[in-house]
Amino acid sequence: MKRVTLGLLLVLGACAPAAPAVAPSSPAASADPTPATPSIVVTEAMGSPHVGEGAPDFELPDQNGKLVKLSAARGSVVVLAFVASFCPFSKAEQPYLAKLAQDYAGKNVKVIAIGIDEPEADYRAYLARIPMGLPVLRDEGSKVALRFTPPGAQPEFTDRKMALVTSNLVIAPDGKIRFFTVLDTVHFDAKLIQLRRALEQVLAESPG
Amino acid sequence: MTRSAALAAPLAALLVACASARGESRLATWDRPGLGGAVRPEMGSPRPGEAAPGLALPDLAGSTVSLASMRGSWVLLHFTATWCPFCDSELAHLGKVAQAFAARSVKTVVVDLEEDAGVWRAYAAKHVDPAIIALYDVTGASAARFAPPGAQPSFDDRAQAVLDATLIVDPAGAIRLFLLPDSAHFDPTFRAVSAELETLVPPPTVSLSAAPCAAKPGGHTEAHVQLTVAAGFHVMSNRPSEPTYIPTRITLESNAGTLAGETQYPPPTLFRIADRSISTFAGTIDVRIPIDVAKDAAAGSRRIRGLLRYQACTASRCLFPASQPFEVELVVASPSPGA
């Protein structure tokens, strides 16, 4: 009897698909095809920074020349989006990023975009595309972007900062990273649905 | 005992399920594990199985190259851009794939999307292997026709929806594989595409190459012919085990000035079928054919025609007997002065 059960388990093991299983979506969200969990989450396996760690601090100028410092936003939830004018995925996300900032204005949320590796003209072109009611920081030389790029994200990219283009983070009021994804081209979430879910969760845990 | 029997049925069902899961080639490309970025039929046209849209774009020399002109060949088509980090990581490997499959008449084409021609030319000179046909689509209008409506529906610029996409187009112009980039399983080495090409455009069962040879007038030489039999196949040897089997024969014509001798074959490989062994050739074998050059043979290079005849079999089946012509280059030296 025991032997038969063992055999059954072995067969089941042999059948297990090589590819990781798709994260099950919650039944409540059945109308929304976006999976509950993004498939490329920056976890410890990718190296630092990752979900659960403190976000590296930075200070960069926004489109009006005003310096924005991440640590100055302690006590608020911060949404951080790494954007690039040349990237079609970034372009597709741009209106939804502007909408996100609009929807959460007046709540304890700061939405910040950081332009990666942008010559001045390209950075201005990104800003000119649609009205952006949020700070879009200019990261000259990509020094900040490089500090946020986990070594295990797209390790084939020799230009490391490129692995961070279209990455989105949610940073809790204590400065810890709660949500951090890099681009998933197959399950591309232009509408930032997964980010909004994570944001709601963090807000629910930190009243005020 | 009864419980064991009750378990046996689901066990058998599982075994059957496993067997069909292993038969991946029977699954459509979009349902196959390992092809995460495959275009699915519900994304709309062009789908795998449908005709590839037309494409006529300038190459690096400025000549227009069309996909239609490649009918009759397999085409590996890839969309790229100089700023795209996925594309950049892949291009070096695409050159290797292009080289590997060029011998099987597969044409590899890259199309740069929506960039200044000068930017593309400078980049292509450094990053695109000469085995690749490098085209560019400044407006993206041609590339946009390749974008199924359901592929990246959030992109207004439809050409960008196929950026970094890879297609295999068959000799009749139909799409056989259509992969969009899959950043979660990024493989810049094109492993999945190469495996697909390997299945769609298998190596020839038997191939032959002949090295050039040289001799003086009145002299003697040997033509060296190499025969390669694909893995899993064998051909009958020059002395088959049964009179009804087709022997392998490699012969050269005798022409004015040259006389071909008897072909020298290597020892056979014994292939076991049931309770006996048959005389075959397998893998790569070297064959030599002596050539006598007449004293009055004209100096210079000439091509001597030859013919290969064989029947290839696997352990379980045989293909029809086949013939394949070939040529050997013979260089006859000028008579030495004073001779």
Side-chain angles (χ1 to χ4, degrees):
Chain A
M1 182 54 226
K2 246 181 187 165
R3 218 179 298 158
V4 174
T5 317
L6 185 66
L8 191 64
L9 284 170
L10 280 171
V11 170
L12 280 166
C15 271
V22 175
S25 52
S26 72
S30 57
D32 175 6
T34 313
T37 330
S39 55
I40 320 187
V41 175
V42 178
T43 57
E44 200 174 349
M46 281 196 203
S48 287
H50 55 78
V51 170
E53 283 190 323
D57 198 15
F58 59 80
E59 191 175 40
L60 289 171
D62 71 6
Q63 57 269 53
N64 305 311
K66 193 185 143 204
L67 284 172
V68 175
K69 194 174 168 68
L70 180 65
S71 54
R74 282 284 161 89
S76 299
V77 182
V78 175
V79 171
L80 197 57
F82 287 91
V83 303
S85 68
F86 55 80
C87 172
F89 291 93
S90 209
K91 278 183 204 170
E93 273 185 4
Q94 192 179 2
Y96 296 100
L97 192 61
K99 179 83 171 24
L100 182 82
Q102 204 177 17
D103 290 352
Y104 283 88
K107 294 178 186 169
N108 190 27
V109 176
K110 290 191 162 49
V111 182
I112 302 170
I114 299 184
I116 298 178
D117 196 35
E118 297 279 42
E120 178 82 30
D122 294 348
Y123 168 74
R124 291 286 156 202
Y126 178 85
L127 289 167
R129 212 175 283 139
I130 53 165
M132 293 295 277
L134 63 141
V136 179
L137 313 185
R138 180 144 188 252
D139 183 17
E140 243 185 306
S142 304
K143 288 193 185 74
V144 172
L146 283 168
R147 276 165 54 213
F148 271 86
T149 307
Q154 300 302 359
E156 302 287 346
F157 289 9
T158 46
D159 188 354
R160 291 305 305 147
K161 61 185 178 288
M162 287 296 184
L164 200 68
V165 175
T166 64
S167 279
N168 297 309
L169 295 88
V170 175
I171 301 165
D174 63 357
K176 290 251 170 67
I177 300 171
R178 290 293 303 275
F179 175 91
F180 189 176
T181 55
V182 291
L183 174 66
D184 183 342
T185 56
V186 172
H187 306 285
F188 176 50
D189 182 16
K191 295 177 179 168
L192 307 173
I193 291 164
Q194 289 160 341
L195 180 131
R196 279 177 179 256
R197 283 182 193 152
L199 178 57
E200 281 300 326
Q201 205 178 330
V202 175
L203 275 175
E205 289 165 15
S206 48
Chain B
M1 188 62 204
T2 324
R3 287 182 70 184
S4 299
L7 272 170
L11 188 65
L14 270 169
L15 282 166
V16 171
C18 280
S20 60
R22 291 268 159 74
E24 284 175 19
S25 60
R26 275 169 291 170
L27 291 174
T29 52
W30 53 87
D31 284 331
R32 253 182 258 167
L35 296 180
V39 166
R40 305 190 60 84
E42 57 268 29
M43 290 182 182
S45 287
R47 305 171 171 88
E50 293 181 347
L55 189 141
L57 292 166
D59 66 10
L60 293 171
S63 318
T64 300
V65 175
S66 74
L67 206 51
S69 72
M70 296 179 198
R71 284 285 162 88
S73 296
W74 287 87
V75 178
L76 176 60
L77 176 65
H78 182 72
F79 293 97
T80 197
T82 65
W83 54 263
C84 160
F86 292 98
C87 311
D88 196 51
S89 307
E90 287 168 334
L91 267 181
H93 298 284
L94 189 63
K96 287 177 202 147
V97 176
Q99 286 169 17
F101 286 95
R104 298 184 207 171
S105 299
V106 176
K107 294 186 195 305
T108 303
V109 179
V110 294
V111 177
D112 178 68
L113 295 185
E114 302 182 302
E115 291 191 277
D116 177 76
V119 170
W120 166 242
R121 281 202 202 97
Y123 178 88
K126 276 190 200 154
H127 299 275
V128 180
D129 190 280
I132 297 173
I133 300 165
L135 310 180
Y136 60 99
D137 184 3
V138 173
T139 65
S142 295
R145 288 201 293 272
F146 279 82
Q152 305 304 358
S154 63
F155 287 15
D156 297 330
D157 182 344
R158 296 309 299 156
Q160 294 295 327
V162 288
L163 176 64
D164 202 34
T166 307
L167 294 92
I168 296 175
V169 179
D170 72 16
I175 299 170
R176 297 294 291 273
L177 181 73
F178 193 167
L179 298 181
L180 297 170
D182 181 1
S183 61
H185 307 97
F186 180 51
D187 172 25
T189 64
F190 292 92
R191 208 175 45 218
V193 173
S194 298
E196 201 66 20
L197 270 179
E198 208 49 73
T199 309
L200 291 170
V201 198
T205 312
V206 173
S207 60
L208 177 145
S209 67
C213 50
K216 288 178 186 158
H220 174 84
T221 186
E222 270 185 341
H224 292 197
V225 176
Q226 200 168 66
L227 192 69
T228 302
V229 182
F233 283 90
H234 57 265
V235 296
M236 298 306 154
S237 78
N238 58 313
R239 296 175 191 278
S241 304
E242 295 283 340
T244 52
Y245 292 170
I246 307 289
T248 294
R249 289 262 181 275
I250 299 176
T251 49
L252 273 188
E253 286 180 4
S254 291
N255 300 308
T258 63
L259 179 68
E262 198 182 326
T263 306
Q264 307 296 309
Y265 296 90
T269 303
L270 292 179
F271 185 81
R272 283 201 68 83
I273 297 182
D275 58 340
R276 65 203 192 95
S277 294
I278 59 167
S279 174
T280 68
F281 292 134
T284 298
I285 62 160
D286 289 308
V287 171
R288 286 155 192 269
I289 310 162
I291 303 170
D292 287 327
V293 180
K295 277 185 182 142
D296 58 353
S301 170
R302 63 178 72 199
R303 304 191 77 81
I304 305 175
R305 287 191 298 185
L307 189 70
L308 159 70
R309 185 164 159 76
Y310 64 92
Q311 181 168 29
C313 301
T314 66
S316 57
R317 70 194 170 101
C318 284
L319 306 180
F320 282 110
S323 295
Q324 190 177 315
F326 65 96
E327 286 185 338
V328 176
E329 187 188 1
L330 170 70
V331 178
V332 177
S334 305
S336 34

